[in-house]
Amino acid sequence: MFKFLLKGILRDHHRSLFPIVIVVLGVSLTVLAHCWINGILGDMIDFNAKYSTGHVKIVTNGYEDNMDQMPVELALGNVDELLAKVRKDYPKMEWVERIRFGGLIDAPDNKGETRAQGPALGLAVDLLSPDTKEVERLNINKSIVRGKSPEKNGEILISDELADKLKVIPGQIVTLMTSTMYGSMAMQNYIVSGTIKFGVTAMDKGAMILDITDAKYVMDMQDEVSEILGYFSNGIYNNVSATTVQNRFNAAYKDSTGEFAPVMLKLRDQNELASMLDYISRMISIFISVFVLAMSIVLWNAGLLGGLRRYGEMGLRLAIGEFKGRVYRSLIYESVIVGFIGSAIGTIIGLGAAFYLQEVGLDFSDLMQNATVLWPGVFRAKITLPAYYIGFIPGLISTVIGTMLSGIGIYKRQTAQLFKELET
Amino acid sequence: MDNSNIIQIENMWKQFPMGGGKFTALENINLTFGKGEFAGLVGPSGSGKTTLLNIIGSLDVPTKGSTIILDKSISDLTHKEAAQLRNHHLGFIFQTYNLLPVYTVFENVEYPLLLLDYTSDERHKAVLDALEWVGLSDKEKSRPAQLSGGESQRVAIARAMVKRPEIVLADEPTANLDAENSHHILQMMEKLNKELETTFIFATHDEKVIKYIRRKISLLDGKIEKDEHLEMGDRRPETGDGRPETGGRA
Ligand SMILES: Nc1ncnc2c1ncn2[C@@H]1O[C@H](COP(=O)(O)OP(=O)(O)OP(=O)(O)O)[C@@H](O)[C@H]1O
Ligand SMILES: [Mg+2]
């Protein structure tokens, strides 16, 4: 019987072509949207984790409340002890020190007078320890546009855009003006060893990357640092594990209060990421539901038209003794076959388009100038395992629902009318 | 109950609701058919031929009285049981062939067997036999659109006959055919009737059909006016075989 249905579908283009085209359209768009949103989301999480939030992050209570302003005066104290403790308690995670700070970079002329000046977003990481993973984590070597990565203290990287603005080239000296953690003014000269472009709009505007020891020095920090970031060793954010770690850490410190008490945040809690992620996953579900609905309605109508065309066939089948449930079911089987074929084709097309967007991407950096979340400048799709089957959900559901609705007419057929209907 | 009768209709009425009241389409029908009959329901338009054929075919139920088909009371069957009765024991032939256009001749004839427990080998053999009966062995791969009207109706006959049903019901089977094709398919059905002892019941007002039938049941306004066993002389001489007629009420 399956063979029989399949033959019917393949030979009757009216029966198969339109529904398949609809399913192909809907499925390919679903697959593409899925891959694209996934890619953007994945990149966003990845960038934020690497450059800003960590998978978890330890800061002080006071720092947490004003994180946007990166207040170095609210840095964590006793960092060596704290680091030793988390490294012992969570040995599978990697823990690193970070300082983020704001400042001004001043490019002097050859007399030492200010030639150009611009605001900079300082990010101090461990660049120089022999076994540091931060250079790799921040993808520094691949992001260098001109010059090279710092090799010793006193060397920094600045964003290529900022370098252009200040007309600074690698090898030249710039002056950083910022404040110490005690609030006094601090100035320090550095050699720009290279310029950098991460592909993250917020950072490419004015980032300055320097070694953590240089930053501690200029900010008068001893055993202090503003953030300790923790990473899962596989590099992938897992909200469940992060929550476990977070709860355990915060429970241990629940008795310490005051603005210098340490507190752990997870990635989702930072930079509006939680609401952003929720928003995006809601959008995905709405998107897919709307597609299923729209496709079901279209296919329902297509089924009704098909039903008119196949009125005689259905009547004949009822007359020769196929009972209604069986005729109905065979229509559903047909719709599953059609849905499957359409979904398979749609998935292939959707994956093809997604592959293109994965390799090439679309450049939205102009739109991202003022984003607080670290959005990737180029939106790329990402093909993940679910992309291979996710399209079958709307594809099959909509064809089956469409057919179930349009096929109800079979139950309304009066067998008593069949002879008359079949005569005309 | 007389067991030699495969169809037994007693005091059967069929009424349709109409406006506030009822329209009587069949009135107190008493009829029996035995195995192997070749009978026609004859009468003017609106006399109730199709309605009666519908009830015999378990497509409709009588309003009053009893209709027993192959020991089953039509009134008591569920939809599914009625479908099963049609499926196993009844064949239908329509004025407008009603072949499934996407399937080949072979597949059209095979279709009823897919609803029954035939193995694929049994189906294959049965379909080839049926196509041979109607002389279309060479057309098994054709599509309905490639066939003439006469050939299409022969496919429909093969489809009705392939499961060797006890009863074949044919409503105006020749209405769309020219004289030559009409004679051709009537001869074919007559032959099958004799070889397989299948009971054929026609609803018709076609004189050509009336020449072939051996029993003529005349309906008028829903009543049986006459039920005649036709003499050889009424029919084309070459088809007479003189076998005894059964089950008539004169
Ligand atoms: N479902 C129905 N509802 C109401 N009246 C009906 C219905 N079916 C048939 N009738 C009426 O019953 C009468 C008999 O109809 P039937 O179709 O049996 O006639 P017929 O002898 O087959 O005619 P024809 O030669 O034109 O096919 C007609 O008057 C018809 O209008
Ligand atoms: Mg009629």
Side-chain angles (χ1 to χ4, degrees):
Chain A
M1 198 68 196
F2 173 80
K3 241 172 75 190
F4 224 79
L5 293 177
L6 190 64
K7 274 186 207 158
I9 288 169
L10 295 180
R11 288 181 196 162
D12 185 356
H13 295 279
H14 294 284
R15 195 183 303 181
S16 50
L17 196 62
F18 182 70
I20 286 177
V21 166
I22 295 296
V23 174
V24 165
L25 267 178
V27 168
S28 53
L29 281 171
T30 305
V31 170
L32 178 60
H34 173 85
C35 291
W36 209 40
I37 290 171
N38 237 318
I40 296 167
L41 210 60
D43 280 354
M44 195 180 85
I45 291 173
D46 202 46
F47 277 124
N48 278 277
K50 285 175 170 166
Y51 294 101
S52 164
T53 64
H55 291 150
V56 295
K57 177 194 266 190
I58 305 168
V59 294
T60 63
N61 267 325
Y63 189 92
E64 184 198 353
D65 295 338
N66 300 292
M67 199 134 71
D68 291 350
Q69 290 138 46
M70 305 172 286
V72 283
E73 67 275 15
L74 292 167
L76 291 158
N78 292 328
V79 166
D80 286 348
E81 196 188 313
L82 192 56
L83 263 178
K85 181 175 157 49
V86 290
R87 283 184 176 137
K88 183 169 140 286
D89 289 352
Y90 313 98
K92 289 207 178 117
M93 296 183 73
E94 286 163 33
W95 298 93
V96 299
E97 300 171 293
R98 293 273 178 95
I99 302 168
R100 292 193 295 142
F101 59 94
L104 273 179
I105 287 191
D106 189 298
D109 60 18
N110 42 20
K111 290 184 208 117
E113 304 289 324
T114 295
R115 175 168 53 82
Q117 215 174 43
L121 182 74
L123 178 61
V125 302
D126 181 2
L127 290 176
L128 300 174
S129 309
D131 56 351
T132 183
K133 291 190 176 156
E134 294 276 81
V135 175
E136 194 187 325
R137 179 171 294 128
L138 300 185
N139 201 20
I140 284 176
N141 288 329
K142 289 212 182 94
S143 308
I144 287 182
V145 182
R146 290 175 281 169
K148 56 184 172 29
S149 185
E151 283 164 354
K152 55 179 188 291
N153 285 112
E155 292 186 344
I156 62 166
L157 293 165
I158 61 173
S159 85
D160 201 52
E161 216 178 304
L162 184 61
D164 279 347
K165 207 169 96 189
L166 301 178
K167 299 198 171 58
V168 171
I169 57 166
Q172 290 183 336
I173 289 174
V174 293
T175 308
L176 167 69
M177 281 180 278
T178 183
S179 61
T180 69
M181 68 173 284
Y182 302 105
S184 42
M185 174 89 170
M187 286 222 277
Q188 182 73 40
N189 284 350
Y190 297 103
I191 296 171
V192 175
S193 71
T195 67
I196 199 156
K197 183 172 174 23
F198 291 109
V200 182
T201 313
M203 293 190 62
D204 288 342
K205 267 202 300 186
M208 160 189 178
I209 313 287
L210 71 169
D211 187 61
I212 192 97
T213 55
D214 280 329
K216 282 182 173 178
Y217 177 77
V218 71
M219 281 178 249
D220 212 359
M221 290 173 163
Q222 317 288 320
D223 197 8
E224 286 99 11
V225 69
S226 50
E227 303 178 346
I228 293 175
L229 270 51
Y231 290 98
F232 297 114
S233 50
N234 63 1
I236 294 166
Y237 179 67
N238 175 329
N239 197 46
V240 177
S241 315
T243 308
T244 312
V245 172
Q246 181 191 32
N247 290 342
R248 192 172 143 206
F249 181 90
N250 288 341
Y253 285 90
K254 72 174 186 307
D255 294 332
S256 34
T257 49
E259 57 180 358
F260 288 99
V263 60
M264 187 181 277
L265 312 170
K266 54 185 200 258
L267 176 139
R268 262 187 78 93
D269 303 337
Q270 305 172 54
N271 287 7
E272 305 151 16
L273 270 176
S275 53
M276 186 80 74
L277 294 182
D278 291 343
Y279 176 74
I280 289 172
S281 49
R282 250 200 327 274
M283 290 299 288
I284 296 177
S285 343
I286 291 173
F287 180 84
I288 291 184
S289 316
V290 166
F291 254 92
V292 169
L293 193 73
M295 284 161 66
S296 300
I297 291 171
V298 172
L299 293 167
W300 172 15
N301 282 291
L304 288 176
L305 289 178
L308 285 183
R309 224 170 39 79
R310 295 173 71 190
Y311 203 68
E313 174 192 337
M314 298 306 147
L316 177 86
R317 287 166 62 176
L318 294 174
I320 64 176
E322 194 168 352
F323 49 87
K324 290 177 175 179
R326 200 189 144 123
V327 175
Y328 189 68
R329 245 180 296 138
S330 80
L331 284 182
I332 306 273
Y333 292 150
E334 276 185 19
S335 75
V336 170
I337 298 173
V338 164
F340 192 84
I341 295 173
S343 300
I345 299 173
T347 297
I348 291 170
I349 293 175
L351 285 175
F355 182 74
Y356 175 81
L357 280 181
Q358 177 173 280
E359 300 302 308
V360 179
L362 288 184
D363 193 337
F364 277 102
S365 41
D366 290 346
L367 291 176
M368 297 292 144
Q369 295 296 347
N370 299 311
T372 54
V373 174
L374 299 183
W375 286 96
V378 176
F379 282 12
R380 285 175 196 283
K382 181 153 195 271
I383 296 176
T384 52
L385 183 65
Y388 290 88
Y389 60 76
I390 192 135
F392 285 81
I393 299 169
L396 287 172
I397 290 181
S398 56
T399 40
V400 170
I401 290 181
T403 307
M404 283 171 82
L405 292 173
S406 58
I408 289 171
I410 288 173
Y411 285 99
K412 304 213 178 105
R413 278 304 265 283
Q414 301 272 320
T415 50
Q417 297 300 322
L418 288 176
F419 249 125
K420 288 192 187 100
E421 290 169 0
L422 293 173
E423 299 297 78
T424 50
Chain B
M1 185 182 293
D2 182 351
N3 281 332
S4 72
N5 290 328
I6 57 177
I7 298 170
Q8 188 143 355
I9 303 172
E10 280 175 11
N11 307 322
M12 191 268 277
W13 293 63
K14 179 66 188 177
Q15 290 167 324
F16 294 108
M18 206 192 200
K22 288 181 215 155
F23 174 80
T24 301
L26 292 173
E27 191 178 328
N28 199 31
I29 303 292
N30 286 285
L31 267 179
T32 57
F33 292 89
K35 196 168 162 59
E37 286 208 42
F38 204 67
L41 308 172
V42 184
S45 185
S47 56
K49 305 183 292 291
T50 298
T51 305
L52 182 52
L53 216 53
N54 258 336
I55 291 172
I56 296 173
S58 79
L59 293 167
D60 204 355
V61 289
T63 313
K64 272 192 289 199
S66 86
T67 303
I68 313 276
I69 310 293
L70 297 165
D71 297 331
K72 293 201 172 60
S73 166
I74 294 300
S75 314
D76 301 337
L77 297 180
T78 63
H79 265 296
K80 211 163 159 172
E81 286 164 341
Q84 242 148 21
L85 173 69
R86 296 198 293 277
N87 187 2
H88 284 93
H89 304 291
L90 307 181
F92 291 89
I93 296 169
F94 306 91
Q95 175 182 330
T96 53
Y97 335 126
N98 287 299
L99 303 179
L100 305 180
V102 295
Y103 295 111
T104 62
V105 164
F106 185 96
E107 287 159 350
N108 265 282
V109 177
E110 186 185 18
Y111 194 82
L113 301 181
L114 289 171
L115 307 177
L116 300 166
D117 294 330
Y118 278 63
T119 67
S120 119
D121 283 349
E122 288 165 346
R123 285 203 304 271
H124 196 79
K125 191 178 175 310
V127 173
L128 293 184
D129 283 351
L131 287 175
E132 202 183 310
W133 297 334
V134 298
L136 285 176
S137 299
D138 55 332
K139 298 275 186 191
E140 59 164 292
K141 294 208 166 64
S142 305
R143 294 281 188 83
Q146 299 163 327
L147 302 177
S148 71
E151 286 168 337
S152 297
Q153 195 59 302
R154 278 146 66 191
V155 175
I157 293 168
R159 179 178 63 193
M161 293 301 300
V162 68
K163 58 193 174 185
R164 299 174 188 240
E166 280 87 339
I167 302 162
V168 169
L169 305 171
D171 199 356
E172 314 275 9
T174 55
N176 286 3
L177 298 179
D178 60 23
E180 192 187 333
N181 273 307
S182 298
H183 283 299
H184 195 159
I185 68 140
L186 282 161
Q187 280 162 16
M188 206 154 267
M189 288 191 275
E190 189 173 53
K191 188 164 144 257
L192 288 166
N193 161 257
K194 284 180 186 151
E195 285 173 5
L196 303 173
E197 281 199 88
T198 310
T199 301
F200 278 79
I201 303 174
F202 300 94
T204 191
H205 35 243
D206 181 355
E207 284 304 322
K208 296 187 289 298
V209 178
I210 297 168
K211 279 194 189 148
Y212 283 82
I213 53 178
R214 295 195 297 273
R215 178 179 174 193
K216 179 176 166 189
I217 300 156
S218 306
L219 288 174
L220 188 63
D221 292 338
K223 288 187 282 259
I224 294 176
E225 209 192 28
K226 249 197 269 170
D227 184 353
E228 322 159 73
H229 292 274
L230 301 183
E231 297 305 317
M232 292 305 95
D234 297 342
R235 302 162 47 212
R236 294 170 316 124
E238 68 268 31
T239 57
D241 63 353
R243 70 192 282 279
E245 312 286 354
T246 52
R249 280 163 194 260

